[in-house]
Amino acid sequence: MIDGHFFFAVIRLFKLKHYLKNILIFFPVFFSGKLLEYSFGFLLQCFLIFSLLSSAVYIFNDLCDMEKDRRHPQKCKRPLAAGDISRSAGVVIFLLTSVIACCWGYFFFNSAKLPLTVMGLYLILNIGYSLKWKNIPVCDLAILASGFLLRLLYGGCSCNITVSSWLYLTVLAVSFYMGIGKRLNEKLNPQGDSTRTVLSLYSKNYLENQMSLAATLGIVFYSQWSALGSQKETLLWTVPFVILAFFRYSYVVENKNNEDPVQIILKDRMLLVLGAITGLIIFISIYGDKISAFLPF
């Protein structure tokens, strides 16, 4: 019989808070203006399938990093590093999670090649990342960014929607920006170099410069998308809020150690407010006319 302590340890192992990243799955259908054409059940299953697969990736990475995590001030509390779940149990949970996610995706998408290919590529890249590639400078950043891009492509092919060029470029730049920000945040931690091998191969100056470059590209690409790619002039109103979000994220990265991108976003009120304002303007711009048709006034 599974006791409560083990059950909640498994829940923590799945890293549910990181499912926030999987919202990218909905970007293609949302920005295409076709969100209301799909059933909630269909979109929910698309989300859960990829979320389960991402949990398998997190579990595998924790299995590979158990010993290093035990020397980290925060990561030592992870279920595997803390000994709440044994290595053998972790391996079994990883295998079950990945097999269930792949089988569920296979039957749900009726063996369609594109979404299954994206899922397979995501799994392979992240297994390679956990085993070796995370220790190779720039290669680690590329794989971190690919995780966001594959979420975007998975959402597009799941709903049979082509991802627009400007949206692709924007997500690409923002993905590198957040990935480099994660490395910079870790680098600023006094114990950073000892807990992640690749950090000793990066200089603080290099990471800061590349983060600034990625931020510049992200702002430019988003501005181009809002002006040219969306065909909604009101989306230009969101550009100042997006610029402020970039500024705020960079500030938090340099002033709070041991925080991953999800924690930074969820814990910072200013980022949450800027995100809410931007999201509301975008939603009204794209879906305002459709929703107003159902209103009695």
Side-chain angles (χ1 to χ4, degrees):
M1 184 176 179
I2 299 177
D3 59 25
H5 180 76
F6 181 80
F7 174 78
F8 286 110
V10 172
I11 296 298
R12 287 192 292 119
L13 189 65
F14 274 47
K15 299 185 180 179
L16 301 184
K17 66 182 179 181
H18 287 271
Y19 285 8
L20 177 66
K21 301 173 186 176
N22 297 336
I23 293 177
L24 273 169
I25 291 169
F26 302 124
F27 274 28
V29 65
F30 177 82
F31 289 117
S32 68
K34 298 178 180 180
L35 180 65
L36 302 178
E37 297 178 13
Y38 291 83
S39 69
F40 175 78
F42 175 83
L43 295 175
L44 179 62
Q45 285 201 69
C46 289
F47 179 83
L48 291 177
I49 289 169
F50 200 93
S51 294
L52 197 61
L53 187 68
S54 65
S55 285
V57 163
Y58 301 146
I59 294 168
F60 186 82
N61 188 64
D62 283 358
L63 284 167
C64 294
D65 286 352
M66 279 181 63
E67 297 305 320
K68 287 187 177 180
D69 286 349
R70 286 171 178 157
R71 300 193 298 268
H72 193 279
Q74 271 74 42
K75 295 178 182 180
C76 64
K77 300 175 184 178
R78 290 176 174 178
L80 286 166
D84 296 327
I85 298 175
S86 66
R87 181 182 291 274
S88 58
V91 171
V92 171
I93 295 170
F94 160 71
L95 292 174
L96 284 175
T97 304
S98 55
V99 168
I100 291 172
C102 293
C103 290
W104 188 1
Y106 180 83
F107 289 108
F108 179 72
F109 293 116
N110 294 319
S111 67
K113 292 182 179 180
L114 283 178
L116 294 176
T117 300
V118 173
M119 289 174 61
L121 187 58
Y122 175 81
L123 186 60
I124 292 170
L125 282 175
N126 280 280
I127 287 176
Y129 172 87
S130 297
L131 291 175
K132 184 176 181 180
W133 296 335
K134 64 184 174 184
N135 296 322
I136 303 175
V138 181
C139 178
D140 67 316
L141 299 176
I143 297 178
L144 287 175
S146 73
F148 292 96
L149 285 177
L150 289 173
R151 286 172 170 86
L152 184 73
L153 296 176
Y154 169 83
C157 60
S158 296
C159 298
N160 198 27
I161 292 173
T162 302
V163 177
S164 70
S165 299
W166 287 119
L167 180 59
Y168 167 82
L169 290 172
T170 301
V171 172
L172 175 64
V174 174
S175 299
F176 274 113
Y177 170 73
M178 297 187 73
I180 297 169
K182 176 180 172 64
R183 287 291 182 264
L184 177 60
N185 187 269
E186 294 169 337
K187 182 71 177 179
L188 293 173
N189 180 358
Q191 296 179 322
D193 287 3
S194 64
T195 57
R196 189 181 292 277
T197 303
V198 76
L199 291 177
S200 62
L201 304 175
Y202 286 126
S203 69
K204 177 176 175 288
N205 185 58
Y206 173 83
L207 292 171
E208 288 176 337
N209 289 338
Q210 304 315 309
M211 190 176 179
S212 296
L213 174 60
T216 302
L217 291 173
I219 292 171
V220 170
F221 291 152
Y222 179 82
S223 300
Q224 288 290 90
W225 172 78
S226 62
L228 304 175
S230 65
Q231 299 179 342
K232 298 287 183 179
E233 293 183 1
T234 50
L235 289 182
L236 281 172
W237 299 350
T238 65
V239 173
F241 300 107
V242 170
I243 293 175
L244 287 174
F246 273 95
F247 290 169
R248 179 63 182 182
Y249 187 86
S250 296
Y251 170 81
V252 177
V253 162
E254 293 196 9
N255 288 275
K256 291 186 179 181
N257 292 333
N258 303 320
E259 300 280 5
D260 63 33
V262 172
Q263 289 177 320
I264 288 175
I265 294 171
L266 292 179
K267 290 183 178 181
D268 191 84
R269 292 183 180 180
M270 185 173 179
L271 282 173
L272 290 174
V273 170
L274 290 170
I277 294 172
T278 302
L280 181 61
I281 295 174
I282 292 174
F283 183 81
I284 293 174
S285 298
I286 298 176
Y287 294 96
D289 294 340
K290 296 180 180 180
I291 293 177
S292 63
F294 293 97
L295 297 178
F297 49 86

PDB file of all heavy atoms in Angstrom, residues 49 97-109 116 119:
ATOM      1  N   ILE A  49      -1.219  15.322 -22.260  1.00  0.00           N
ATOM      2  CA  ILE A  49      -0.295  14.368 -22.892  1.00  0.00           C
ATOM      3  C   ILE A  49       1.122  14.922 -22.863  1.00  0.00           C
ATOM      4  O   ILE A  49       2.071  14.239 -22.456  1.00  0.00           O
ATOM      5  CB  ILE A  49      -0.728  14.060 -24.336  1.00  0.00           C
ATOM      6  CG1 ILE A  49      -2.009  13.208 -24.330  1.00  0.00           C
ATOM      7  CG2 ILE A  49       0.384  13.335 -25.096  1.00  0.00           C
ATOM      8  CD1 ILE A  49      -2.655  13.070 -25.701  1.00  0.00           C
ATOM      9  N   THR A  97       5.654   6.685 -16.746  1.00  0.00           N
ATOM     10  CA  THR A  97       5.181   8.002 -17.184  1.00  0.00           C
ATOM     11  C   THR A  97       5.422   8.211 -18.675  1.00  0.00           C
ATOM     12  O   THR A  97       4.525   8.668 -19.401  1.00  0.00           O
ATOM     13  CB  THR A  97       5.887   9.111 -16.380  1.00  0.00           C
ATOM     14  OG1 THR A  97       5.670   8.900 -14.985  1.00  0.00           O
ATOM     15  CG2 THR A  97       5.339  10.477 -16.751  1.00  0.00           C
ATOM     16  N   SER A  98       6.624   7.872 -19.151  1.00  0.00           N
ATOM     17  CA  SER A  98       6.938   8.071 -20.563  1.00  0.00           C
ATOM     18  C   SER A  98       6.128   7.138 -21.457  1.00  0.00           C
ATOM     19  O   SER A  98       5.643   7.549 -22.527  1.00  0.00           O
ATOM     20  CB  SER A  98       8.440   7.875 -20.808  1.00  0.00           C
ATOM     21  OG  SER A  98       8.876   6.618 -20.331  1.00  0.00           O
ATOM     22  N   VAL A  99       5.938   5.894 -21.040  1.00  0.00           N
ATOM     23  CA  VAL A  99       5.166   4.939 -21.839  1.00  0.00           C
ATOM     24  C   VAL A  99       3.695   5.352 -21.897  1.00  0.00           C
ATOM     25  O   VAL A  99       3.071   5.323 -22.970  1.00  0.00           O
ATOM     26  CB  VAL A  99       5.291   3.511 -21.253  1.00  0.00           C
ATOM     27  CG1 VAL A  99       4.266   2.581 -21.892  1.00  0.00           C
ATOM     28  CG2 VAL A  99       6.698   2.976 -21.480  1.00  0.00           C
ATOM     29  N   ILE A 100       3.141   5.762 -20.774  1.00  0.00           N
ATOM     30  CA  ILE A 100       1.733   6.200 -20.746  1.00  0.00           C
ATOM     31  C   ILE A 100       1.544   7.423 -21.632  1.00  0.00           C
ATOM     32  O   ILE A 100       0.583   7.504 -22.411  1.00  0.00           O
ATOM     33  CB  ILE A 100       1.289   6.502 -19.306  1.00  0.00           C
ATOM     34  CG1 ILE A 100       1.207   5.209 -18.495  1.00  0.00           C
ATOM     35  CG2 ILE A 100      -0.076   7.206 -19.299  1.00  0.00           C
ATOM     36  CD1 ILE A 100       0.953   5.428 -17.013  1.00  0.00           C
ATOM     37  N   ALA A 101       2.468   8.388 -21.544  1.00  0.00           N
ATOM     38  CA  ALA A 101       2.357   9.600 -22.360  1.00  0.00           C
ATOM     39  C   ALA A 101       2.425   9.274 -23.853  1.00  0.00           C
ATOM     40  O   ALA A 101       1.621   9.781 -24.650  1.00  0.00           O
ATOM     41  CB  ALA A 101       3.464  10.584 -21.980  1.00  0.00           C
ATOM     42  N   CYS A 102       3.365   8.423 -24.241  1.00  0.00           N
ATOM     43  CA  CYS A 102       3.522   8.068 -25.659  1.00  0.00           C
ATOM     44  C   CYS A 102       2.339   7.262 -26.178  1.00  0.00           C
ATOM     45  O   CYS A 102       1.854   7.503 -27.298  1.00  0.00           O
ATOM     46  CB  CYS A 102       4.821   7.297 -25.863  1.00  0.00           C
ATOM     47  SG  CYS A 102       6.321   8.277 -25.589  1.00  0.00           S
ATOM     48  N   CYS A 103       1.863   6.307 -25.395  1.00  0.00           N
ATOM     49  CA  CYS A 103       0.712   5.502 -25.818  1.00  0.00           C
ATOM     50  C   CYS A 103      -0.553   6.346 -25.897  1.00  0.00           C
ATOM     51  O   CYS A 103      -1.342   6.222 -26.839  1.00  0.00           O
ATOM     52  CB  CYS A 103       0.504   4.333 -24.852  1.00  0.00           C
ATOM     53  SG  CYS A 103       1.776   3.070 -24.951  1.00  0.00           S
ATOM     54  N   TRP A 104      -0.744   7.205 -24.920  1.00  0.00           N
ATOM     55  CA  TRP A 104      -1.902   8.099 -24.924  1.00  0.00           C
ATOM     56  C   TRP A 104      -1.863   8.993 -26.160  1.00  0.00           C
ATOM     57  O   TRP A 104      -2.870   9.161 -26.854  1.00  0.00           O
ATOM     58  CB  TRP A 104      -1.887   8.937 -23.647  1.00  0.00           C
ATOM     59  CG  TRP A 104      -3.114   9.776 -23.409  1.00  0.00           C
ATOM     60  CD1 TRP A 104      -4.238   9.859 -24.187  1.00  0.00           C
ATOM     61  CD2 TRP A 104      -3.338  10.661 -22.298  1.00  0.00           C
ATOM     62  NE1 TRP A 104      -5.139  10.719 -23.642  1.00  0.00           N
ATOM     63  CE2 TRP A 104      -4.616  11.232 -22.485  1.00  0.00           C
ATOM     64  CE3 TRP A 104      -2.584  11.012 -21.184  1.00  0.00           C
ATOM     65  CZ2 TRP A 104      -5.148  12.158 -21.571  1.00  0.00           C
ATOM     66  CZ3 TRP A 104      -3.111  11.917 -20.282  1.00  0.00           C
ATOM     67  CH2 TRP A 104      -4.380  12.483 -20.476  1.00  0.00           C
ATOM     68  N   GLY A 105      -0.673   9.563 -26.456  1.00  0.00           N
ATOM     69  CA  GLY A 105      -0.545  10.410 -27.634  1.00  0.00           C
ATOM     70  C   GLY A 105      -0.794   9.644 -28.923  1.00  0.00           C
ATOM     71  O   GLY A 105      -1.442  10.148 -29.847  1.00  0.00           O
ATOM     72  N   TYR A 106      -0.303   8.402 -28.990  1.00  0.00           N
ATOM     73  CA  TYR A 106      -0.467   7.590 -30.203  1.00  0.00           C
ATOM     74  C   TYR A 106      -1.949   7.353 -30.513  1.00  0.00           C
ATOM     75  O   TYR A 106      -2.392   7.530 -31.654  1.00  0.00           O
ATOM     76  CB  TYR A 106       0.248   6.261 -30.023  1.00  0.00           C
ATOM     77  CG  TYR A 106       0.137   5.334 -31.218  1.00  0.00           C
ATOM     78  CD1 TYR A 106       0.997   5.475 -32.301  1.00  0.00           C
ATOM     79  CD2 TYR A 106      -0.836   4.341 -31.274  1.00  0.00           C
ATOM     80  CE1 TYR A 106       0.902   4.638 -33.407  1.00  0.00           C
ATOM     81  CE2 TYR A 106      -0.949   3.503 -32.368  1.00  0.00           C
ATOM     82  CZ  TYR A 106      -0.079   3.652 -33.436  1.00  0.00           C
ATOM     83  OH  TYR A 106      -0.190   2.825 -34.531  1.00  0.00           O
ATOM     84  N   PHE A 107      -2.719   6.979 -29.507  1.00  0.00           N
ATOM     85  CA  PHE A 107      -4.133   6.687 -29.731  1.00  0.00           C
ATOM     86  C   PHE A 107      -4.965   7.963 -29.872  1.00  0.00           C
ATOM     87  O   PHE A 107      -5.909   8.008 -30.658  1.00  0.00           O
ATOM     88  CB  PHE A 107      -4.687   5.823 -28.597  1.00  0.00           C
ATOM     89  CG  PHE A 107      -4.163   4.412 -28.612  1.00  0.00           C
ATOM     90  CD1 PHE A 107      -3.259   3.981 -27.662  1.00  0.00           C
ATOM     91  CD2 PHE A 107      -4.555   3.525 -29.611  1.00  0.00           C
ATOM     92  CE1 PHE A 107      -2.760   2.687 -27.687  1.00  0.00           C
ATOM     93  CE2 PHE A 107      -4.067   2.223 -29.650  1.00  0.00           C
ATOM     94  CZ  PHE A 107      -3.163   1.810 -28.679  1.00  0.00           C
ATOM     95  N   PHE A 108      -4.599   8.997 -29.135  1.00  0.00           N
ATOM     96  CA  PHE A 108      -5.368  10.243 -29.200  1.00  0.00           C
ATOM     97  C   PHE A 108      -5.232  10.903 -30.567  1.00  0.00           C
ATOM     98  O   PHE A 108      -6.204  11.415 -31.124  1.00  0.00           O
ATOM     99  CB  PHE A 108      -4.914  11.204 -28.098  1.00  0.00           C
ATOM    100  CG  PHE A 108      -5.625  12.522 -28.112  1.00  0.00           C
ATOM    101  CD1 PHE A 108      -6.952  12.608 -27.715  1.00  0.00           C
ATOM    102  CD2 PHE A 108      -4.973  13.680 -28.516  1.00  0.00           C
ATOM    103  CE1 PHE A 108      -7.618  13.830 -27.728  1.00  0.00           C
ATOM    104  CE2 PHE A 108      -5.629  14.900 -28.531  1.00  0.00           C
ATOM    105  CZ  PHE A 108      -6.962  14.975 -28.129  1.00  0.00           C
ATOM    106  N   PHE A 109      -4.013  10.905 -31.103  1.00  0.00           N
ATOM    107  CA  PHE A 109      -3.781  11.545 -32.397  1.00  0.00           C
ATOM    108  C   PHE A 109      -3.959  10.569 -33.559  1.00  0.00           C
ATOM    109  O   PHE A 109      -3.608  10.894 -34.699  1.00  0.00           O
ATOM    110  CB  PHE A 109      -2.370  12.139 -32.443  1.00  0.00           C
ATOM    111  CG  PHE A 109      -2.165  13.283 -31.495  1.00  0.00           C
ATOM    112  CD1 PHE A 109      -1.260  13.183 -30.444  1.00  0.00           C
ATOM    113  CD2 PHE A 109      -2.882  14.454 -31.631  1.00  0.00           C
ATOM    114  CE1 PHE A 109      -1.065  14.227 -29.563  1.00  0.00           C
ATOM    115  CE2 PHE A 109      -2.697  15.512 -30.757  1.00  0.00           C
ATOM    116  CZ  PHE A 109      -1.794  15.399 -29.717  1.00  0.00           C
ATOM    117  N   LEU A 116       3.382  13.173 -32.911  1.00  0.00           N
ATOM    118  CA  LEU A 116       4.172  12.096 -32.308  1.00  0.00           C
ATOM    119  C   LEU A 116       5.664  12.307 -32.558  1.00  0.00           C
ATOM    120  O   LEU A 116       6.494  11.999 -31.698  1.00  0.00           O
ATOM    121  CB  LEU A 116       3.723  10.748 -32.861  1.00  0.00           C
ATOM    122  CG  LEU A 116       2.300  10.321 -32.482  1.00  0.00           C
ATOM    123  CD1 LEU A 116       1.942   9.015 -33.168  1.00  0.00           C
ATOM    124  CD2 LEU A 116       2.158  10.179 -30.968  1.00  0.00           C
ATOM    125  N   MET A 119       6.822  14.921 -30.114  1.00  0.00           N
ATOM    126  CA  MET A 119       6.940  14.315 -28.789  1.00  0.00           C
ATOM    127  C   MET A 119       8.213  13.480 -28.681  1.00  0.00           C
ATOM    128  O   MET A 119       8.954  13.563 -27.691  1.00  0.00           O
ATOM    129  CB  MET A 119       5.716  13.441 -28.505  1.00  0.00           C
ATOM    130  CG  MET A 119       4.436  14.212 -28.274  1.00  0.00           C
ATOM    131  SD  MET A 119       2.982  13.123 -28.121  1.00  0.00           S
ATOM    132  CE  MET A 119       3.437  12.144 -26.673  1.00  0.00           C
TER     133      MET A 119
END
